[in-house]
Amino acid sequence: MITAVIDETHAPDRTSWVPGADGHADFPIQNLPLGVFSREGESPRGGIAIGNSIVDLAALTRSGLLEGEAMAAASAASAPALNAMLALGAGPRRALRRRVSALLSAGAHERESIAPMLVPASEAAMHLPAHVGDYTDFYVGIHHATNIGSIFRPDNPLLPNYKHVPIGYHGRASTIRPSGAPLIRPQGQTRAPDAAAPSFGPVRRLDYELELGVWLARGNDLGAPIPIAEASDHVAGLTLLNDWSARDVQAWEYQPLGPFLAKNFLTTVSPWIVTMEALAPFRRAQPPRPEGDPQPLPYLWDEADQREGALSLELEVFLSSAAMREKHIAPLRLSRGPASNMYWTVAQMVAHHASNGCQMQTGDLLGSGTISGPQDGSQGSLMEITRSGKQPVTLPTGETRTFLEDGDELMLAGHFRTEGAVSIGFGECRGVVMPARI
Amino acid sequence: MITAVIDETHAPDRTSWVPGADGHADFPIQNLPLGVFSREGESPRGGIAIGNSIVDLAALTRSGLLEGEAMAAASAASAPALNAMLALGAGPRRALRRRVSALLSAGAHERESIAPMLVPASEAAMHLPAHVGDYTDFYVGIHHATNIGSIFRPDNPLLPNYKHVPIGYHGRASTIRPSGAPLIRPQGQTRAPDAAAPSFGPVRRLDYELELGVWLARGNDLGAPIPIAEASDHVAGLTLLNDWSARDVQAWEYQPLGPFLAKNFLTTVSPWIVTMEALAPFRRAQPPRPEGDPQPLPYLWDEADQREGALSLELEVFLSSAAMREKHIAPLRLSRGPASNMYWTVAQMVAHHASNGCQMQTGDLLGSGTISGPQDGSQGSLMEITRSGKQPVTLPTGETRTFLEDGDELMLAGHFRTEGAVSIGFGECRGVVMPARI
C-alpha cells in the first residue's frame, strides 16, 4: 500500500491567486479534484476545480507550461472521459497535481498565462468524470445494516456473514448520472402488506441513501486477484453517491436475488473525483473492531490499511421541499455523521471484490453502501430516520415527510476536516424529484 | 410487437454452395448468425457463420455487391464490436440477411466473388459480438427456481413474488467471455456447515448454469419505459450463456443482497448472435399458465407475445473429464430439455427491466436464469442434478462428480427444431476448468 504522502500541495499556508479559492468550502487549492466539464457548444473535457472556477486541462496542455508526467496526465485528461488519465496511475496524477498547485499558488508568475484557462463553474455543465464499466454497491455501513436489519429481524439484525464478508452486489452502470440530474419518480410493481395482489404504478416509498463512491484508477487481469496491500494503488479517488431507492419495490422484489428495479432507475454522484493525493492529510486509523468481533481473514487484512484506511470525513444530508424553496427557507439538515461508521475500508472492498479473480477496470465505480451513525440525527436514509415511515420528519414549513415527495430536492455533502489541514469537500450531489410519467 | 416474418431466407429447400453448409447442425444457410472474429495478426471484425466458414463482412463491404440498408449494416459491422450495427435495428439487419442469403445460395452467380471472402472457422478466433454495457441475469426457469428453492425450503420452494415478478439481478459485465475461455477455479470465502469460522481458498462446489442469453439491439432513454408490445423490437437475438457458479461462496455471501463473488468470476457465451430474423420459424405460443396461476399485470402482458413469445428450442449440456478426453470417450450428456420451461418470455424480461425507466443500451446482455425441466435428465445445473452434492453423477470412466473438477470440460448446446423448417443452432459454448492459482 502507498503510504499517504503529505507534501507542499497540502500546506495549510498555501493560498491561491484565483478569486474565491481561499476559504472555499470544497475547492481550496489543497483539493484540486478531477472532473469533466463542458461549456455550451463545446466538447466535454477534463478540468480541475479551484474555488468557483475550473482549470481547462485541454487548454493547459497547449500552454507550454507542462512537461513530463504532468503533461502526459493533462493530455490524457483532454478527453470526454478521464479513463485514459486514471489508467496512468498515481505518478502522473500526482505530478499534475503538484504542477497545477504551483501554477495556482499565490505569487505564481504564470498567473497571467493561466487566468484565460479558468472557466467559471457557473458556465460549465458537469459530466460523469469517467465512463463506468461496472458499478458495485457494498454494504459496509454497519449501523445502516443494523438499522435496516432490525426493522426485519429485531432480535438478530446483523446476519452471520456481516463481520466476515464485505457484502456487496452488482448495480446498474447505465443509470449513473452527475449531480443535478432530475429523478423521475419511477413506476414499479409493489404489493402492499394488506393487499391480495400486487399492483403497478408510481412508487410511494421513494428514498435516498447517503454513500461514498470509489473511482478505480487501475484494474487487474481476469483471474488475478488484487492483494490487499496493493488495493489502495488501484483507487483514483472518492465521490459522494446517492443510491436512490424505492423501498416498496425493494420489499416485494428482493427475495431471493437482491435489489434490482428498486435501485437501478438512477444513481447520482458528485461530479468531482477527490483524489487519493488530496485525501492524504485526512487518512486516519480504522477504529478498532469491537471486543469479540472476528479477526478478518488474511486476504482482507493489512496493517498499513488499518493504520490509515479510515477518513476524517463528515457527511451530511439536506432536504428542501418545493414550498421551502419558494419561501426561501434554508434546506433542512436530515443527518450528519462521520464516515468512520464504515466497518470495512475501501482497500478491503477492492481486495474482496477481486479476490475471486473478478476483473476490475479503470473507471469502475464502487459504492460504500449507506453510511449511518448509531444514533438519531446521523442516519443516511429516510427508511431509518422515519423508522420505515412510522415517524415522520417535520419540515420548517410544517410539511411532513416519511419518504420523498415530488418537488423535494435532496442534497448530500461531505467535508474532510482534521487539525492542521485545510478542509476540502466533494462539491454538490443533488437531485430534484419529478412526478412520475404516467 | 413485430410479428415473426418468414421469408425465402427460411425456405427449407434453400441450399448453399458453401461446402459443409447444407446439413450443418448449427449454421446452415437458414441461420446466418452474427459474430466478431479475427485471424492471427488481423483486427477483429464482423462476420456471418455459414457451415464451417465465416463471411468476412469488412471484405463484403468492399465487394460492390451490397447496397442500401444491407451495405449500411455490413459497414457498421466492420468493427471490433457489433454495437453500431445492432443499433441500426431490424430493418438493416434483415436487409443484410436477405442479401447474404441470396449470395450464398446454390446457383448464385456471385459465387466466384464471394468465395475469397470466406474465412475457415478453424483459422478464426472468436470475440464477444458486442461490447456489453450492462449484464442482467434473470430467474425465469421455473423448475430451476423450484428445484433450488426446495433444497432450502422443501414445503414452500417458490417465493410469493415469483409468479408476479420476472425476478432478476445485476451481474458483472467485465467478466463475460466467448466460448473457449478457460475457467480458472476461483478462490473465495466460504463457511462449511460444521465450521466455527469461515475460511478462504479454492472453491469446492463449482457449478455451471445452462441459460439463454439475450442481446439487445436498441435501448431507451432514461425514464422512458419500453412497452411490452415493443419489447421484441429491442432484441437483436439470442445466445447460449453459462453462468458459472461457486455454490459454497453463494451460500455464505448471498444474504441479504444476492449473489456476488459466487457468479462474477466468469460468464461464458456462445459467440454467435442467432438473430430474431433467423428464429422466426421457431417461435410458438407460450404454454398456458397452470390453472390458478395469477394473470400478469398489464405492463407484462401482450397477446401477440403470448402467441409467439416461446421457442421450439432444445437445450443440452455435456461434460467431458480430462480422463475421458485422454481415452477418446465421447462427452457425457448431463441434461436435455426444452426452453419452454421459461415462465416469462424474453419480451416480458425486457419490459419489466425498463418498466421503472431504467435505461437499456445497445449491447446489453440479459441472461434467462437456469433453464431446467421438471424431471431428472433435464436439469440445468449440477446443484440440481446431484441434489446439492448428495447424489453423484458417474462418468463413463467410472469417475464420479458432485461438482466440477479441474480438467473438466463443460459444453452447452442449443438447437431450434420445428416441423417444416431446417434446424439451426448456436454453435459452441464451452470451457475447461483450470486449477486455482494459489
Side-chain angles (χ1 to χ4, degrees):
Chain A
M1 180 167 149
I2 287 179
T3 299
V5 177
I6 298 182
D7 59 25
E8 77 281 4
T9 64
H10 305 99
D13 58 355
R14 177 165 286 201
T15 56
S16 174
W17 55 261
V18 177
D22 297 342
H24 194 279
D26 292 306
F27 307 134
I29 194 170
Q30 285 78 9
N31 193 347
L32 304 178
L34 302 165
V36 170
F37 75 99
S38 64
R39 282 200 287 197
E40 211 177 322
E42 296 180 352
S43 298
R45 55 196 184 274
I48 290 179
I50 175 80
N52 301 309
S53 302
I54 299 169
V55 181
D56 181 340
L57 288 175
L60 192 58
T61 58
R62 297 187 296 265
S63 69
L65 294 171
L66 300 181
E67 55 187 24
E69 283 193 310
M71 180 64 180
S75 295
S78 303
L82 297 181
N83 298 66
M85 190 271 199
L86 299 182
L88 296 175
R93 217 167 56 220
R94 173 172 290 123
L96 180 62
R97 171 185 171 82
R98 293 177 68 130
R99 183 63 179 143
V100 169
S101 178
L103 292 170
L104 299 178
S105 288
H109 63 268
E110 299 89 347
R111 176 175 176 167
E112 295 297 309
S113 309
I114 296 291
M117 301 171 197
L118 291 182
V119 174
S122 58
E123 292 177 14
M126 295 305 299
H127 305 269
L128 280 185
H131 169 76
V132 181
D134 280 287
Y135 162 52
T136 297
D137 201 16
F138 281 85
Y139 196 55
V140 309
I142 189 167
H143 302 301
H144 171 74
T146 306
N147 294 340
I148 293 288
S150 66
I151 291 171
F152 296 106
R153 299 173 302 274
D155 298 333
N156 185 26
L158 274 188
L159 290 165
N161 55 12
Y162 190 86
K163 293 184 173 179
H164 297 277
V165 182
I167 296 291
Y169 69 109
H170 296 295
R172 181 87 190 170
S174 72
T175 51
I176 298 169
R177 292 291 184 277
S179 176
L183 169 60
I184 300 160
R185 180 181 295 271
Q187 300 197 82
Q189 185 181 145
T190 59
R191 182 175 175 169
D194 53 350
S199 60
F200 183 82
V203 306
R204 294 197 175 91
R205 292 161 66 92
L206 188 62
D207 201 356
Y208 65 89
E209 291 195 341
L210 167 64
E211 304 196 12
L212 214 52
V214 180
W215 286 101
L216 287 205
R218 295 191 298 116
N220 57 304
D221 290 336
L222 178 61
I226 298 172
I228 179 130
E230 296 170 17
S232 289
D233 306 352
H234 290 257
V235 176
L238 305 181
T239 186
L240 291 169
L241 187 151
N242 183 348
D243 178 24
W244 302 97
S245 300
R247 302 298 180 192
D248 39 2
V249 172
Q250 189 175 354
W252 176 229
E253 75 167 7
Y254 94 104
Q255 291 279 21
L257 299 180
F260 179 43
L261 299 192
K263 298 276 195 170
N264 67 7
F265 49 90
L266 186 68
T267 300
T268 303
V269 293
S270 54
W272 294 103
I273 302 176
V274 176
T275 66
M276 293 297 272
E277 291 72 59
L279 298 179
F282 308 98
R283 296 181 73 157
R284 48 179 266 197
Q286 177 74 350
R289 300 196 143 211
E291 185 84 18
D293 276 14
Q295 168 69 15
L297 286 165
Y299 81 99
L300 292 173
W301 191 258
D302 177 62
E303 291 294 344
D305 180 45
Q306 292 299 311
R307 279 197 305 272
E308 53 181 48
L311 295 161
S312 289
L313 167 61
E314 185 180 68
L315 298 167
E316 295 170 287
V317 180
F318 298 89
L319 175 71
S320 165
S321 70
M324 287 167 68
R325 295 198 299 282
E326 202 171 301
K327 294 173 185 168
H328 303 287
I329 298 173
L332 173 70
R333 182 163 59 207
L334 291 176
S335 71
R336 176 166 61 172
S340 57
N341 292 310
M342 293 167 63
Y343 192 76
W344 300 99
T345 66
V346 169
Q348 286 173 322
M349 289 159 54
V350 172
H352 181 65
H353 203 320
S355 66
N356 67 346
C358 178
Q359 184 176 30
M360 317 294 288
Q361 299 181 114
T362 299
D364 282 349
L365 182 65
L366 313 181
S368 61
T370 312
I371 300 177
S372 293
Q375 68 281 344
D376 282 356
S378 66
Q379 295 152 338
S381 70
L382 281 170
M383 182 78 170
E384 295 162 83
I385 293 171
T386 69
R387 305 290 190 276
S388 191
K390 294 192 188 73
Q391 298 179 19
V393 173
T394 301
L395 309 185
T397 46
E399 302 169 281
T400 60
R401 288 291 181 275
T402 49
F403 291 97
L404 296 170
E405 301 288 341
D406 294 348
D408 286 353
E409 181 171 41
L410 200 286
M411 291 150 283
L412 310 182
H415 291 94
F416 296 86
R417 296 191 184 99
T418 197
E419 206 170 305
V422 174
S423 297
I424 63 174
F426 286 111
E428 73 170 29
C429 183
R430 63 182 195 84
V432 174
V433 180
M434 313 288 282
R437 290 187 190 158
I438 45 174
Chain B
M1 180 168 149
I2 287 179
T3 299
V5 176
I6 298 182
D7 60 24
E8 76 281 3
T9 64
H10 305 98
D13 59 355
R14 177 164 284 201
T15 56
S16 174
W17 55 261
V18 178
D22 297 343
H24 194 280
D26 293 304
F27 307 132
I29 193 168
Q30 285 77 11
N31 194 347
L32 303 178
L34 301 166
V36 170
F37 75 98
S38 64
R39 282 200 288 197
E40 210 178 321
E42 295 179 355
S43 298
R45 57 197 182 275
I48 289 179
I50 174 78
N52 301 309
S53 302
I54 299 168
V55 181
D56 182 339
L57 289 174
L60 191 59
T61 59
R62 298 187 295 264
S63 68
L65 294 170
L66 300 181
E67 55 186 23
E69 282 195 310
M71 180 64 181
S75 294
S78 303
L82 297 181
N83 297 65
M85 191 271 199
L86 299 182
L88 297 175
R93 216 167 56 218
R94 175 173 288 125
L96 180 62
R97 170 185 173 81
R98 293 177 68 129
R99 183 62 180 144
V100 169
S101 177
L103 293 170
L104 299 178
S105 289
H109 63 266
E110 299 90 347
R111 174 174 175 166
E112 296 296 309
S113 308
I114 298 291
M117 302 171 196
L118 291 181
V119 174
S122 58
E123 292 177 13
M126 295 304 300
H127 304 268
L128 280 185
H131 170 76
V132 181
D134 279 287
Y135 162 52
T136 297
D137 202 14
F138 281 86
Y139 196 55
V140 307
I142 188 168
H143 302 300
H144 171 73
T146 307
N147 292 339
I148 294 288
S150 67
I151 292 171
F152 295 106
R153 301 172 302 274
D155 298 333
N156 185 27
L158 274 188
L159 290 164
N161 56 11
Y162 189 85
K163 292 183 174 180
H164 298 277
V165 183
I167 296 291
Y169 69 108
H170 295 295
R172 180 88 191 169
S174 73
T175 53
I176 298 168
R177 293 290 184 278
S179 175
L183 169 59
I184 299 161
R185 179 181 296 271
Q187 299 196 81
Q189 184 181 147
T190 61
R191 181 174 176 170
D194 52 351
S199 60
F200 184 82
V203 305
R204 294 196 174 92
R205 291 161 67 93
L206 187 62
D207 201 354
Y208 65 90
E209 291 195 342
L210 167 64
E211 302 195 13
L212 214 52
V214 179
W215 286 101
L216 287 206
R218 294 191 297 115
N220 58 303
D221 291 336
L222 178 62
I226 298 172
I228 179 136
E230 297 169 18
S232 289
D233 306 352
H234 290 257
V235 176
L238 305 180
T239 187
L240 291 168
L241 187 150
N242 183 349
D243 177 25
W244 304 96
S245 299
R247 301 299 180 192
D248 40 0
V249 172
Q250 190 175 353
W252 176 231
E253 76 169 5
Y254 93 104
Q255 291 278 22
L257 298 180
F260 179 44
L261 300 192
K263 300 275 197 172
N264 67 6
F265 49 89
L266 185 69
T267 301
T268 304
V269 292
S270 56
W272 294 102
I273 302 176
V274 176
T275 65
M276 294 298 271
E277 292 71 59
L279 298 178
F282 308 98
R283 296 179 73 156
R284 47 179 268 195
Q286 177 75 348
R289 300 196 141 210
E291 186 83 19
D293 277 13
Q295 170 69 15
L297 286 165
Y299 81 99
L300 293 173
W301 192 256
D302 178 62
E303 291 294 343
D305 180 45
Q306 291 299 308
R307 280 198 305 274
E308 53 180 48
L311 296 161
S312 289
L313 168 61
E314 184 180 72
L315 299 167
E316 297 171 285
V317 180
F318 298 90
L319 175 70
S320 166
S321 70
M324 287 168 69
R325 294 198 299 285
E326 202 171 299
K327 293 173 183 166
H328 304 289
I329 298 173
L332 174 70
R333 182 163 59 209
L334 291 176
S335 71
R336 177 167 60 174
S340 57
N341 292 311
M342 292 166 64
Y343 192 77
W344 300 98
T345 67
V346 169
Q348 287 172 323
M349 288 157 53
V350 172
H352 181 66
H353 203 320
S355 65
N356 66 346
C358 178
Q359 184 176 31
M360 317 294 288
Q361 299 182 112
T362 298
D364 282 349
L365 182 66
L366 313 181
S368 61
T370 311
I371 300 178
S372 293
Q375 67 282 340
D376 282 356
S378 66
Q379 296 152 338
S381 70
L382 282 169
M383 182 79 169
E384 294 162 84
I385 292 171
T386 69
R387 306 288 191 277
S388 192
K390 294 192 187 72
Q391 299 178 18
V393 173
T394 301
L395 308 186
T397 46
E399 302 170 280
T400 59
R401 288 290 180 275
T402 48
F403 290 96
L404 295 170
E405 301 287 341
D406 292 349
D408 285 355
E409 182 171 41
L410 202 285
M411 290 151 284
L412 310 183
H415 291 93
F416 297 85
R417 296 191 183 98
T418 196
E419 209 170 301
V422 174
S423 298
I424 64 174
F426 286 112
E428 72 169 33
C429 183
R430 63 183 194 83
V432 175
V433 180
M434 312 289 282
R437 290 186 189 159
I438 46 175

